[in-house]
Each structure stands twice: as C-alpha cells, then as structure tokens.
Amino acid sequence: MSTHDVIIVGARCAGAATALLLARQGVRVLLTDRAAFPSDTVSTHLLHPTGVARLRDWGLLDPLLASGCPAIDTISFRAAEDLVLRGAPYACDGVASSLAPRRTVLDALLVEAAVAAGAELREGASFQQLIWEDGRAVGAAFGGRGGFTERAALIIGADGRHSAVARQAGAKPIRDAGIFGCQFYGYWHGLPNVGTQIFVGGGQAVLAYPTHDGHHLVLVGWPHARFAEVKQDIDRHFLAAVAKSAPAVAEHLTDAARGGPIAGSGDLGNYVRESSGPGWALIGDAATAKDPVTAQGIGDAFAQAQSLADRLPAALAAGPRAVDAATAAHCTDRERDSSAAFETTLTFAKGGNSAALLPLLRAIAGRPDLISMFYGIYAGQVTMEEFVAAVG
Ligand SMILES: Cc1cc2nc3c(=O)[nH]c(=O)nc-3n(C[C@H](O)[C@H](O)[C@H](O)COP(=O)(O)OP(=O)(O)OC[C@H]3O[C@@H](n4cnc5c(N)ncnc54)[C@H](O)[C@@H]3O)c2cc1C
C-alpha cells in the first residue's frame, strides 16, 4: 500500500502547480526536487494575462502582488525607427495586466501553496530511476540527501527540458523542430517604469520590463548562430546590443545600478515528447517546450497543470487503466490546444515574417484594440490568421 497517490519530480511552475491543484482535491502528493526553495533558475519570466488569470483563480495573485511584483499594463513595441506601437496586453478572462515575477518568488509561492494544501515536499531529492512492475511505472528512486524509494499510482515528470523521468520512461520524441535563438538577461534598478518595452530589428531583440525589488529585467535575444560568439564576452556584446537598439534603456545599465551577473541560455530547443504511458506522465518543459521569444513556457505549465489536475482525482479513484486514459487524454487535448502557438513561436523564433509583418503593424498604429490583439499572438491567444483578418 503506497503512502502517496502521485509522485511529482520537479517543483517549479509545472510540478508545484500540479501538486497544489491535486492536493486541494485530496490527492496524496509527494512533491520532490533536487533544488531547495526559494531558488532561481535560468529563465526570464514575463507572464501574459493568461497565466496571471490562473494565479488569480488559484488564489495566488494577491500574495504575488503583495510581494512587490509590479503589474504591467502597457507594452510598447518598436517595430521600426519610425514605428512604435503602444497598447495594453491582450486581456484574458478579465485580466489585462502582465507580470514578471522573479522565479525565486513565483516558484516558492507555488511550492508553499502546495504544501499548505497538504502535499509533502522533499527538497534535495535527486530522481534516479523509475521502478517498474509488469511494464508499469509503480515508483521512483531518489538519491541526494538520504536517498529513498517511494511507490505511487502515477509518477509525473515535471523535471524540465532534460527530464530524467522522460529518459527513464523511454518517452519518444514526437517533434524536434530545432533551435533558433539564444537569450541573455540581467537586472538593473533605476529604470523608469513604462511597462514592457520591446525593440526589434538589426538581427536582435531587446526587451525591458519591471520586476521585484525595483529592478528591471533587460534581455537581448540573438539568432542561435551568434551564441558561441556572444557568450565569449557577454557583457560587451549585451551592452552594445542594448545601446544599438534601445539607447534610452542603455543609459541606465551602469555598474552601480546592476543587480547581478548576466545569465542566459542557448539551450532553447523546440520539441514535443510523448508525454504519457503506463503509470507515468510528463508536464511542463519535460513534455514540450518552445523558444522563449513568445514567453509562453510558464503559462503553458500552468495550463497543463490545470488540465491534468482536473482529470486525475476521479481516475485515481477508478484504478490504473483510468489513470493512463486520463493522462493520455490530457496529452491529446494539450496537442490540440497548443499546436497553433507552437507554429507561431517557431515563425517568430526563426525571425521570419518581419518584413511581411511591417505593413500590418503600420496599419494598426493608433488602433489600441488591434495593437492588443497583436500582443495576443505572442500570448498564444490569437492566431496570425485571426489577426490578419481583423486588420482587414
Ligand atoms: C532563457 C529563457 C528565458 C525564458 N523566458 C520565459 C518567459 O519570459 N516567460 C515564460 O513564460 N517562460 C520563459 N521561459 C520558459 C520557462 O522558463 C519554462 O517553460 C518553465 O520554467 C518550465 O517550467 P517547468 O516547471 O516545466 O520546468 P523547470 O522550471 O525547468 O523546473 C524543473 C525542476 O525540476 C528539477 N529537476 C530536474 N531534474 C531533476 C531530478 N533528476 N531530480 C529532481 N528534480 C529535478 C529542477 O531542479 C527544477 O527545479 C524561458 C526559458 C529560458 C531558458
């Protein structure tokens, strides 16, 4: 007889959110991570209104705002020297603000809420292998402090891009669309809060947005072909890129105003993996990930957590076959709901469409509703076809 219904490996935005939603429904969850919380991870952290609306629904928006996370009500997008589009984020279910919470705060908030709902948390627990019986995953073995093995009806891998659970389960690649970009970012204080600023052109993108502690996150995105070159001397390349695309932002990037080293990643593959099987499932980046050019990863993890947690309690009560059917149905729905956003992200990540988009963007200048709708493409709420049709 196992003590837990579900073991979750990985306790950030996918794993902790799933643990929270399951525990609130009475499911006995063991939430594990090799990290301890609060802790940071390599990721910028813009959250579209879609994700903010979920935090509100889960009762976590007020605590997040109270932690000093500023709401972002305006986006300005400099598409060309003479074209800056200003508008609100595309609203979702009554929420029209984005947020950019530090992962130290957001992930810890989710973990604390999961524990408060009854999930058992084991930090410093490094997943090693699945335990199999008659072709079904029935448990997981962990190393790290102490090391332990536990059994459960379902093992969920929420352990990120290089998921060991996926490897152990033999999850096959469904799609591997390649890597097109790299991103680097840092934090500075003293920038005026004018919402999210986006500057595209000249083979790079620069973004700046406000986050915790009076800091702004400033990021530069380049094509992946430049990754090896820029990382050799990231400070010089980063500051030069911001100075070129966004001189008014660059003015503020002094050493005195700097809130830490520049971090980043070129490990930005776009893929979908087989994400369910007998006794196991994958969510978040373990299951599918796309280039952060559209900043959808955290919101996607939330959406998957909700979809899986809606299905599992009844299935757990009905037995192993129902659990496998529930995880399979979750994956089918996820693919149906996310394939358009996957394709759009690939187009943006390849830097495609820029020339084709410019006439459309000129046509929407001064039309706040259509500018918001354009931002809705980035958030995965609007397809390019719907936008083109609306512009007319
Ligand atoms: C440079 C960059 C910029 C990004 N910018 C944005 C953005 O602006 N907005 C956005 O929405 N998304 C962004 N993303 C994507 C976002 O970071 C991810 O989609 C999101 O973190 C996925 O959450 P997750 O919980 O699935 O995985 P992760 O956040 O990767 O968490 C996985 C967890 O699993 C744990 N783990 C891994 N292996 C083991 C093991 N063997 N045993 C135990 N624990 C393990 C890790 O310690 C970690 O805590 C960005 C990503 C990158 C790389």
Side-chain angles (χ1 to χ4, degrees):
M1 175 77 182
S2 6
T3 325
H4 304 98
D5 301 312
V6 173
I7 298 171
I8 302 178
V9 181
R12 293 194 184 272
C13 36
T18 307
L20 160 71
L21 297 171
L22 288 175
R24 282 184 177 167
Q25 297 176 84
V27 175
R28 298 171 306 163
V29 179
L30 175 60
L31 177 62
T32 65
D33 203 299
R34 63 186 174 198
F37 298 91
S39 58
D40 213 349
T41 185
V42 175
S43 171
T44 63
H45 36 82
L46 187 64
L47 189 58
H48 298 293
T50 41
V52 178
R54 288 204 191 271
L55 289 174
R56 178 203 57 194
D57 295 346
W58 300 344
L60 298 182
L61 180 55
D62 288 343
L64 188 56
L65 293 172
S67 72
C69 186
I72 301 173
D73 301 324
T74 315
I75 306 173
S76 71
F77 187 101
R78 203 207 63 174
E81 286 290 336
D82 61 340
L83 182 63
V84 179
L85 303 171
R86 281 196 185 78
Y90 193 66
C92 172
D93 197 15
V95 173
S97 299
S98 310
L99 291 176
R102 290 294 301 255
R103 294 293 296 267
T104 43
V105 178
L106 176 67
D107 295 346
L109 185 70
L110 289 161
V111 167
E112 278 165 26
V115 170
E120 179 186 341
L121 173 67
R122 291 192 203 166
E123 299 172 309
S126 182
F127 169 81
Q128 306 290 321
Q129 61 184 58
L130 291 171
I131 311 297
W132 297 92
E133 271 176 22
D134 301 326
R136 179 174 190 82
V138 294
F142 293 80
R145 280 199 305 268
F148 58 90
T149 299
E150 293 283 358
R151 294 173 68 93
L154 179 67
I155 321 300
I156 299 177
D159 50 343
R161 282 182 170 264
H162 301 285
S163 171
V165 176
R167 264 198 315 281
Q168 279 280 311
K172 295 185 188 64
I174 292 177
R175 178 110 192 252
D176 181 356
I179 303 182
F180 304 101
C182 62
Q183 270 195 11
F184 288 87
Y185 62 98
Y187 298 92
W188 282 265
H189 62 76
L191 277 80
N193 185 351
V194 290
T196 296
Q197 303 174 69
I198 305 172
F199 307 83
V200 295
Q204 60 188 34
V206 172
L207 270 77
Y209 45 76
T211 180
H212 282 96
D213 304 321
H215 281 130
H216 268 66
L217 178 149
V218 181
L219 83 81
V220 179
W222 285 285
H224 196 267
R226 294 205 57 200
F227 180 61
E229 172 206 352
V230 295
K231 79 172 182 186
Q232 292 293 326
D233 188 353
I234 188 56
D235 278 26
R236 182 170 68 80
H237 286 289
F238 187 96
L239 295 172
V242 181
K244 182 175 159 205
S245 291
V249 172
E251 264 172 33
H252 297 275
L253 306 193
T254 61
D255 284 348
R258 190 158 162 166
I262 292 170
S265 176
D267 180 20
L268 303 180
N270 298 272
Y271 59 83
V272 182
R273 289 186 185 122
E274 188 180 38
S275 309
S276 80
W280 62 271
L282 305 175
I283 55 166
D285 279 9
T288 175
K290 41 191 192 285
D291 191 288
V293 66
T294 47
Q296 291 178 11
I298 301 168
D300 283 356
F302 289 176
Q304 291 174 39
Q306 186 73 66
S307 150
L308 194 56
D310 286 347
R311 290 183 157 90
L312 276 181
L316 286 162
R321 289 171 77 140
V323 169
D324 297 346
T327 56
H330 155 78
C331 294
T332 305
D333 286 2
R334 184 203 68 207
E335 281 312 288
R336 183 199 60 215
D337 296 343
S338 63
S339 60
F342 192 92
E343 298 307 328
T344 307
T345 300
L346 284 183
T347 305
F348 285 144
K350 289 175 188 170
N353 257 0
S354 321
L357 259 181
L358 208 49
L360 281 169
L361 298 184
R362 290 196 186 284
I364 64 172
R367 297 188 57 189
D369 53 333
L370 290 177
I371 293 173
S372 286
M373 195 176 181
F374 174 62
Y375 298 146
I377 300 175
Y378 279 85
Q381 294 157 282
V382 176
T383 64
M384 190 60 83
E385 291 70 28
E386 287 164 343
F387 174 65
V388 169
V391 176

